[in-house]
Amino acid sequence: QVQLQESGGGSVQAGGSLRLTCEVSGNIASRDCMGWFRQAPGKEREGVARMYPGTNRMHTYYPDSGSVKGRFTISRDNAKNTIYLQMNDLKPEDSAVYYCAAGAALTCTWNSNTFDSWGQGTQVTVTS
């Protein structure tokens, strides 16, 4: 397993931006699938971005619902063992606790059960 530590959450007005950071430590070579999930009060945890390395490029995915499409971007800095979630044009419905998660690339899906390492979460609040 790996250890994950999120940071960068906070309160922002609608239309604003935040960049979440996830510092990764431990046996990172075994956990190529990285994802960001969020959970709002009274709602189920949902994936908002995930990525894993392919043969020639990094594969990135966002929900088919389009809830974050064009606004959220996941990226990875291997030299810093850090994962980012850039969030632009934030909306009040984006308010939630955001979690960084890691799992094996072979099981990299939206199913949160396939991720075996989780951070403690960071709160994002978007005000209208």
Side-chain angles (χ1 to χ4, degrees):
Q1 290 188 345
V2 296
Q3 292 76 50
L4 309 173
Q5 179 68 54
E6 304 98 335
S7 61
S11 182
V12 65
Q13 288 189 332
S17 298
L18 284 173
R19 187 177 77 161
L20 305 184
T21 298
C22 175
E23 297 181 3
V24 186
S25 60
N27 188 14
I28 60 176
S30 68
R31 291 294 176 262
D32 284 345
C33 176
M34 300 301 301
W36 285 95
F37 290 75
R38 67 185 181 186
Q39 188 167 20
K43 295 187 177 181
E44 294 185 353
R45 186 171 296 188
E46 64 170 340
V48 295
R50 59 185 171 92
M51 67 190 309
Y52 67 90
T55 302
N56 298 312
R57 65 180 180 87
M58 190 67 70
H59 297 277
T60 58
Y61 297 91
Y62 303 93
D64 291 336
S65 65
S67 58
V68 304
K69 186 177 181 179
R71 301 189 299 120
F72 288 15
T73 303
I74 186 172
S75 62
R76 180 171 186 158
D77 187 333
N78 290 328
K80 296 181 178 180
N81 292 335
T82 301
I83 309 297
Y84 302 99
L85 183 67
Q86 178 67 43
M87 305 185 295
N88 299 325
D89 190 24
L90 283 162
K91 304 175 181 181
E93 52 264 40
D94 293 320
S95 297
V97 177
Y98 283 71
Y99 299 90
C100 178
L106 290 178
T107 57
C108 196
T109 70
W110 289 119
N111 185 348
S112 61
N113 291 327
T114 63
F115 291 81
D116 55 15
S117 300
W118 292 82
Q120 85 290 347
T122 184
Q123 176 71 48
V124 171
T125 302
V126 184
T127 58
S128 58

PDB file of all heavy atoms in Angstrom, residues 22-26 28-29 31-34 51-54 57-59 75-84:
ATOM      1  N   CYS A  22      -2.085  15.881  -3.752  1.00  0.00           N
ATOM      2  CA  CYS A  22      -2.019  14.607  -3.041  1.00  0.00           C
ATOM      3  C   CYS A  22      -0.575  14.116  -3.062  1.00  0.00           C
ATOM      4  O   CYS A  22      -0.045  13.769  -4.114  1.00  0.00           O
ATOM      5  CB  CYS A  22      -2.931  13.581  -3.709  1.00  0.00           C
ATOM      6  SG  CYS A  22      -2.841  11.917  -3.004  1.00  0.00           S
ATOM      7  N   GLU A  23       0.045  14.134  -1.904  1.00  0.00           N
ATOM      8  CA  GLU A  23       1.420  13.634  -1.790  1.00  0.00           C
ATOM      9  C   GLU A  23       1.379  12.130  -1.527  1.00  0.00           C
ATOM     10  O   GLU A  23       0.677  11.674  -0.618  1.00  0.00           O
ATOM     11  CB  GLU A  23       2.149  14.359  -0.668  1.00  0.00           C
ATOM     12  CG  GLU A  23       2.298  15.847  -0.924  1.00  0.00           C
ATOM     13  CD  GLU A  23       3.040  16.563   0.188  1.00  0.00           C
ATOM     14  OE1 GLU A  23       3.485  15.893   1.139  1.00  0.00           O
ATOM     15  OE2 GLU A  23       3.170  17.798   0.110  1.00  0.00           O
ATOM     16  N   VAL A  24       2.141  11.408  -2.317  1.00  0.00           N
ATOM     17  CA  VAL A  24       2.134   9.946  -2.276  1.00  0.00           C
ATOM     18  C   VAL A  24       3.453   9.427  -1.724  1.00  0.00           C
ATOM     19  O   VAL A  24       4.528   9.850  -2.159  1.00  0.00           O
ATOM     20  CB  VAL A  24       1.898   9.373  -3.680  1.00  0.00           C
ATOM     21  CG1 VAL A  24       1.749   7.848  -3.623  1.00  0.00           C
ATOM     22  CG2 VAL A  24       0.675  10.000  -4.333  1.00  0.00           C
ATOM     23  N   SER A  25       3.399   8.507  -0.795  1.00  0.00           N
ATOM     24  CA  SER A  25       4.608   7.883  -0.260  1.00  0.00           C
ATOM     25  C   SER A  25       4.361   6.391  -0.080  1.00  0.00           C
ATOM     26  O   SER A  25       3.222   5.934  -0.106  1.00  0.00           O
ATOM     27  CB  SER A  25       5.003   8.526   1.070  1.00  0.00           C
ATOM     28  OG  SER A  25       3.967   8.374   2.020  1.00  0.00           O
ATOM     29  N   GLY A  26       5.429   5.646   0.077  1.00  0.00           N
ATOM     30  CA  GLY A  26       5.319   4.202   0.221  1.00  0.00           C
ATOM     31  C   GLY A  26       5.650   3.496  -1.078  1.00  0.00           C
ATOM     32  O   GLY A  26       6.408   4.006  -1.901  1.00  0.00           O
ATOM     33  N   ILE A  28       4.950   3.193  -4.122  1.00  0.00           N
ATOM     34  CA  ILE A  28       4.166   3.834  -5.164  1.00  0.00           C
ATOM     35  C   ILE A  28       4.233   3.085  -6.488  1.00  0.00           C
ATOM     36  O   ILE A  28       3.335   3.187  -7.314  1.00  0.00           O
ATOM     37  CB  ILE A  28       4.595   5.293  -5.362  1.00  0.00           C
ATOM     38  CG1 ILE A  28       6.073   5.375  -5.761  1.00  0.00           C
ATOM     39  CG2 ILE A  28       4.319   6.098  -4.112  1.00  0.00           C
ATOM     40  CD1 ILE A  28       6.539   6.761  -6.073  1.00  0.00           C
ATOM     41  N   ALA A  29       5.293   2.294  -6.710  1.00  0.00           N
ATOM     42  CA  ALA A  29       5.412   1.589  -7.987  1.00  0.00           C
ATOM     43  C   ALA A  29       4.309   0.564  -8.161  1.00  0.00           C
ATOM     44  O   ALA A  29       3.984   0.172  -9.279  1.00  0.00           O
ATOM     45  CB  ALA A  29       6.777   0.914  -8.072  1.00  0.00           C
ATOM     46  N   ARG A  31       1.212   0.977  -7.275  1.00  0.00           N
ATOM     47  CA  ARG A  31      -0.113   1.606  -7.328  1.00  0.00           C
ATOM     48  C   ARG A  31      -0.120   2.666  -8.420  1.00  0.00           C
ATOM     49  O   ARG A  31       0.081   3.852  -8.160  1.00  0.00           O
ATOM     50  CB  ARG A  31      -0.477   2.199  -5.966  1.00  0.00           C
ATOM     51  CG  ARG A  31      -0.734   1.120  -4.924  1.00  0.00           C
ATOM     52  CD  ARG A  31      -1.959   0.322  -5.287  1.00  0.00           C
ATOM     53  NE  ARG A  31      -2.212  -0.790  -4.387  1.00  0.00           N
ATOM     54  CZ  ARG A  31      -1.851  -2.047  -4.650  1.00  0.00           C
ATOM     55  NH1 ARG A  31      -1.171  -2.336  -5.756  1.00  0.00           N
ATOM     56  NH2 ARG A  31      -2.154  -3.011  -3.819  1.00  0.00           N
ATOM     57  N   ASP A  32      -0.357   2.214  -9.648  1.00  0.00           N
ATOM     58  CA  ASP A  32      -0.313   3.126 -10.780  1.00  0.00           C
ATOM     59  C   ASP A  32      -1.628   3.842 -11.035  1.00  0.00           C
ATOM     60  O   ASP A  32      -1.664   4.827 -11.753  1.00  0.00           O
ATOM     61  CB  ASP A  32       0.085   2.370 -12.046  1.00  0.00           C
ATOM     62  CG  ASP A  32       1.573   2.055 -12.068  1.00  0.00           C
ATOM     63  OD1 ASP A  32       2.300   2.674 -11.268  1.00  0.00           O
ATOM     64  OD2 ASP A  32       1.987   1.229 -12.873  1.00  0.00           O
ATOM     65  N   CYS A  33      -2.708   3.322 -10.494  1.00  0.00           N
ATOM     66  CA  CYS A  33      -4.009   3.960 -10.712  1.00  0.00           C
ATOM     67  C   CYS A  33      -4.233   4.983  -9.612  1.00  0.00           C
ATOM     68  O   CYS A  33      -4.219   4.657  -8.425  1.00  0.00           O
ATOM     69  CB  CYS A  33      -5.121   2.920 -10.683  1.00  0.00           C
ATOM     70  SG  CYS A  33      -6.766   3.638 -10.841  1.00  0.00           S
ATOM     71  N   MET A  34      -4.399   6.232 -10.003  1.00  0.00           N
ATOM     72  CA  MET A  34      -4.631   7.298  -9.039  1.00  0.00           C
ATOM     73  C   MET A  34      -5.967   7.952  -9.350  1.00  0.00           C
ATOM     74  O   MET A  34      -6.307   8.174 -10.508  1.00  0.00           O
ATOM     75  CB  MET A  34      -3.524   8.343  -9.107  1.00  0.00           C
ATOM     76  CG  MET A  34      -2.140   7.795  -8.816  1.00  0.00           C
ATOM     77  SD  MET A  34      -2.005   7.057  -7.181  1.00  0.00           S
ATOM     78  CE  MET A  34      -2.435   8.450  -6.138  1.00  0.00           C
ATOM     79  N   MET A  51      -6.560   8.280 -13.300  1.00  0.00           N
ATOM     80  CA  MET A  51      -5.529   8.180 -14.321  1.00  0.00           C
ATOM     81  C   MET A  51      -4.664   6.956 -14.072  1.00  0.00           C
ATOM     82  O   MET A  51      -4.508   6.513 -12.947  1.00  0.00           O
ATOM     83  CB  MET A  51      -4.662   9.439 -14.332  1.00  0.00           C
ATOM     84  CG  MET A  51      -3.802   9.655 -13.095  1.00  0.00           C
ATOM     85  SD  MET A  51      -3.004  11.284 -13.017  1.00  0.00           S
ATOM     86  CE  MET A  51      -2.236  11.394 -14.612  1.00  0.00           C
ATOM     87  N   TYR A  52      -4.109   6.403 -15.131  1.00  0.00           N
ATOM     88  CA  TYR A  52      -3.136   5.333 -15.012  1.00  0.00           C
ATOM     89  C   TYR A  52      -2.253   5.368 -16.253  1.00  0.00           C
ATOM     90  O   TYR A  52      -2.671   5.828 -17.310  1.00  0.00           O
ATOM     91  CB  TYR A  52      -3.809   3.967 -14.847  1.00  0.00           C
ATOM     92  CG  TYR A  52      -4.593   3.480 -16.047  1.00  0.00           C
ATOM     93  CD1 TYR A  52      -3.986   2.719 -17.040  1.00  0.00           C
ATOM     94  CD2 TYR A  52      -5.943   3.761 -16.156  1.00  0.00           C
ATOM     95  CE1 TYR A  52      -4.703   2.264 -18.129  1.00  0.00           C
ATOM     96  CE2 TYR A  52      -6.663   3.314 -17.252  1.00  0.00           C
ATOM     97  CZ  TYR A  52      -6.049   2.563 -18.231  1.00  0.00           C
ATOM     98  OH  TYR A  52      -6.766   2.132 -19.302  1.00  0.00           O
ATOM     99  N   PRO A  53      -1.017   4.887 -16.135  1.00  0.00           N
ATOM    100  CA  PRO A  53      -0.091   4.965 -17.261  1.00  0.00           C
ATOM    101  C   PRO A  53      -0.371   3.892 -18.304  1.00  0.00           C
ATOM    102  O   PRO A  53      -0.597   2.735 -17.973  1.00  0.00           O
ATOM    103  CB  PRO A  53       1.275   4.751 -16.596  1.00  0.00           C
ATOM    104  CG  PRO A  53       0.972   3.950 -15.385  1.00  0.00           C
ATOM    105  CD  PRO A  53      -0.374   4.392 -14.917  1.00  0.00           C
ATOM    106  N   GLY A  54      -0.373   4.302 -19.578  1.00  0.00           N
ATOM    107  CA  GLY A  54      -0.466   3.369 -20.673  1.00  0.00           C
ATOM    108  C   GLY A  54       0.907   3.137 -21.276  1.00  0.00           C
ATOM    109  O   GLY A  54       1.918   3.552 -20.725  1.00  0.00           O
ATOM    110  N   ARG A  57       1.369   6.786 -23.127  1.00  0.00           N
ATOM    111  CA  ARG A  57       0.827   8.017 -22.551  1.00  0.00           C
ATOM    112  C   ARG A  57       0.062   7.698 -21.279  1.00  0.00           C
ATOM    113  O   ARG A  57      -0.203   6.548 -20.967  1.00  0.00           O
ATOM    114  CB  ARG A  57      -0.087   8.701 -23.562  1.00  0.00           C
ATOM    115  CG  ARG A  57      -1.335   7.894 -23.911  1.00  0.00           C
ATOM    116  CD  ARG A  57      -2.195   8.614 -24.924  1.00  0.00           C
ATOM    117  NE  ARG A  57      -3.393   7.843 -25.273  1.00  0.00           N
ATOM    118  CZ  ARG A  57      -4.539   7.906 -24.600  1.00  0.00           C
ATOM    119  NH1 ARG A  57      -4.643   8.696 -23.560  1.00  0.00           N
ATOM    120  NH2 ARG A  57      -5.574   7.182 -24.981  1.00  0.00           N
ATOM    121  N   MET A  58      -0.268   8.767 -20.577  1.00  0.00           N
ATOM    122  CA  MET A  58      -1.073   8.616 -19.378  1.00  0.00           C
ATOM    123  C   MET A  58      -2.550   8.683 -19.774  1.00  0.00           C
ATOM    124  O   MET A  58      -2.960   9.584 -20.503  1.00  0.00           O
ATOM    125  CB  MET A  58      -0.743   9.727 -18.385  1.00  0.00           C
ATOM    126  CG  MET A  58      -1.328   9.543 -17.004  1.00  0.00           C
ATOM    127  SD  MET A  58      -0.638   8.135 -16.103  1.00  0.00           S
ATOM    128  CE  MET A  58       1.021   8.760 -15.784  1.00  0.00           C
ATOM    129  N   HIS A  59      -3.325   7.749 -19.320  1.00  0.00           N
ATOM    130  CA  HIS A  59      -4.752   7.742 -19.588  1.00  0.00           C
ATOM    131  C   HIS A  59      -5.469   8.480 -18.461  1.00  0.00           C
ATOM    132  O   HIS A  59      -5.237   8.180 -17.286  1.00  0.00           O
ATOM    133  CB  HIS A  59      -5.268   6.311 -19.680  1.00  0.00           C
ATOM    134  CG  HIS A  59      -4.665   5.525 -20.798  1.00  0.00           C
ATOM    135  ND1 HIS A  59      -5.129   5.606 -22.088  1.00  0.00           N
ATOM    136  CD2 HIS A  59      -3.627   4.649 -20.808  1.00  0.00           C
ATOM    137  CE1 HIS A  59      -4.412   4.805 -22.855  1.00  0.00           C
ATOM    138  NE2 HIS A  59      -3.491   4.217 -22.106  1.00  0.00           N
ATOM    139  N   SER A  75      -3.619  15.460 -12.871  1.00  0.00           N
ATOM    140  CA  SER A  75      -2.262  15.385 -13.413  1.00  0.00           C
ATOM    141  C   SER A  75      -1.346  14.767 -12.374  1.00  0.00           C
ATOM    142  O   SER A  75      -1.719  14.620 -11.207  1.00  0.00           O
ATOM    143  CB  SER A  75      -1.753  16.768 -13.834  1.00  0.00           C
ATOM    144  OG  SER A  75      -1.693  17.635 -12.726  1.00  0.00           O
ATOM    145  N   ARG A  76      -0.145  14.423 -12.826  1.00  0.00           N
ATOM    146  CA  ARG A  76       0.786  13.692 -11.953  1.00  0.00           C
ATOM    147  C   ARG A  76       2.194  14.205 -12.181  1.00  0.00           C
ATOM    148  O   ARG A  76       2.620  14.373 -13.315  1.00  0.00           O
ATOM    149  CB  ARG A  76       0.699  12.208 -12.271  1.00  0.00           C
ATOM    150  CG  ARG A  76       1.580  11.300 -11.468  1.00  0.00           C
ATOM    151  CD  ARG A  76       1.224   9.851 -11.750  1.00  0.00           C
ATOM    152  NE  ARG A  76       1.952   8.924 -10.902  1.00  0.00           N
ATOM    153  CZ  ARG A  76       1.569   7.678 -10.635  1.00  0.00           C
ATOM    154  NH1 ARG A  76       0.458   7.214 -11.153  1.00  0.00           N
ATOM    155  NH2 ARG A  76       2.291   6.914  -9.863  1.00  0.00           N
ATOM    156  N   ASP A  77       2.898  14.451 -11.112  1.00  0.00           N
ATOM    157  CA  ASP A  77       4.311  14.818 -11.167  1.00  0.00           C
ATOM    158  C   ASP A  77       5.097  13.676 -10.534  1.00  0.00           C
ATOM    159  O   ASP A  77       5.173  13.575  -9.312  1.00  0.00           O
ATOM    160  CB  ASP A  77       4.551  16.140 -10.434  1.00  0.00           C
ATOM    161  CG  ASP A  77       5.970  16.646 -10.606  1.00  0.00           C
ATOM    162  OD1 ASP A  77       6.885  15.822 -10.813  1.00  0.00           O
ATOM    163  OD2 ASP A  77       6.182  17.869 -10.514  1.00  0.00           O
ATOM    164  N   ASN A  78       5.659  12.812 -11.368  1.00  0.00           N
ATOM    165  CA  ASN A  78       6.356  11.640 -10.856  1.00  0.00           C
ATOM    166  C   ASN A  78       7.594  12.014 -10.046  1.00  0.00           C
ATOM    167  O   ASN A  78       7.943  11.333  -9.080  1.00  0.00           O
ATOM    168  CB  ASN A  78       6.742  10.712 -11.996  1.00  0.00           C
ATOM    169  CG  ASN A  78       5.545  10.028 -12.613  1.00  0.00           C
ATOM    170  OD1 ASN A  78       4.567   9.747 -11.913  1.00  0.00           O
ATOM    171  ND2 ASN A  78       5.591   9.776 -13.904  1.00  0.00           N
ATOM    172  N   ALA A  79       8.237  13.086 -10.429  1.00  0.00           N
ATOM    173  CA  ALA A  79       9.452  13.496  -9.717  1.00  0.00           C
ATOM    174  C   ALA A  79       9.134  13.893  -8.280  1.00  0.00           C
ATOM    175  O   ALA A  79       9.959  13.725  -7.374  1.00  0.00           O
ATOM    176  CB  ALA A  79      10.123  14.640 -10.456  1.00  0.00           C
ATOM    177  N   LYS A  80       7.933  14.418  -8.075  1.00  0.00           N
ATOM    178  CA  LYS A  80       7.523  14.855  -6.736  1.00  0.00           C
ATOM    179  C   LYS A  80       6.596  13.855  -6.062  1.00  0.00           C
ATOM    180  O   LYS A  80       6.161  14.098  -4.934  1.00  0.00           O
ATOM    181  CB  LYS A  80       6.842  16.213  -6.828  1.00  0.00           C
ATOM    182  CG  LYS A  80       7.738  17.343  -7.313  1.00  0.00           C
ATOM    183  CD  LYS A  80       6.989  18.658  -7.339  1.00  0.00           C
ATOM    184  CE  LYS A  80       7.897  19.796  -7.784  1.00  0.00           C
ATOM    185  NZ  LYS A  80       7.178  21.102  -7.816  1.00  0.00           N
ATOM    186  N   ASN A  81       6.275  12.749  -6.725  1.00  0.00           N
ATOM    187  CA  ASN A  81       5.324  11.770  -6.186  1.00  0.00           C
ATOM    188  C   ASN A  81       4.041  12.458  -5.741  1.00  0.00           C
ATOM    189  O   ASN A  81       3.555  12.276  -4.619  1.00  0.00           O
ATOM    190  CB  ASN A  81       5.937  11.005  -5.015  1.00  0.00           C
ATOM    191  CG  ASN A  81       7.068  10.103  -5.453  1.00  0.00           C
ATOM    192  OD1 ASN A  81       7.126   9.684  -6.612  1.00  0.00           O
ATOM    193  ND2 ASN A  81       7.983   9.817  -4.547  1.00  0.00           N
ATOM    194  N   THR A  82       3.522  13.275  -6.622  1.00  0.00           N
ATOM    195  CA  THR A  82       2.372  14.100  -6.286  1.00  0.00           C
ATOM    196  C   THR A  82       1.328  14.025  -7.388  1.00  0.00           C
ATOM    197  O   THR A  82       1.654  14.001  -8.578  1.00  0.00           O
ATOM    198  CB  THR A  82       2.804  15.565  -6.081  1.00  0.00           C
ATOM    199  OG1 THR A  82       3.770  15.614  -5.022  1.00  0.00           O
ATOM    200  CG2 THR A  82       1.620  16.440  -5.697  1.00  0.00           C
ATOM    201  N   ILE A  83       0.081  13.986  -6.953  1.00  0.00           N
ATOM    202  CA  ILE A  83      -1.064  14.010  -7.853  1.00  0.00           C
ATOM    203  C   ILE A  83      -1.815  15.316  -7.620  1.00  0.00           C
ATOM    204  O   ILE A  83      -1.943  15.755  -6.473  1.00  0.00           O
ATOM    205  CB  ILE A  83      -2.016  12.835  -7.597  1.00  0.00           C
ATOM    206  CG1 ILE A  83      -1.248  11.523  -7.594  1.00  0.00           C
ATOM    207  CG2 ILE A  83      -3.134  12.800  -8.635  1.00  0.00           C
ATOM    208  CD1 ILE A  83      -0.592  11.181  -8.910  1.00  0.00           C
ATOM    209  N   TYR A  84      -2.302  15.914  -8.703  1.00  0.00           N
ATOM    210  CA  TYR A  84      -3.021  17.162  -8.586  1.00  0.00           C
ATOM    211  C   TYR A  84      -4.429  17.024  -9.150  1.00  0.00           C
ATOM    212  O   TYR A  84      -4.685  16.200 -10.029  1.00  0.00           O
ATOM    213  CB  TYR A  84      -2.301  18.276  -9.356  1.00  0.00           C
ATOM    214  CG  TYR A  84      -0.882  18.520  -8.917  1.00  0.00           C
ATOM    215  CD1 TYR A  84       0.201  17.981  -9.622  1.00  0.00           C
ATOM    216  CD2 TYR A  84      -0.614  19.285  -7.785  1.00  0.00           C
ATOM    217  CE1 TYR A  84       1.504  18.206  -9.217  1.00  0.00           C
ATOM    218  CE2 TYR A  84       0.696  19.516  -7.376  1.00  0.00           C
ATOM    219  CZ  TYR A  84       1.740  18.960  -8.103  1.00  0.00           C
ATOM    220  OH  TYR A  84       3.034  19.188  -7.690  1.00  0.00           O
TER     221      TYR A  84
END
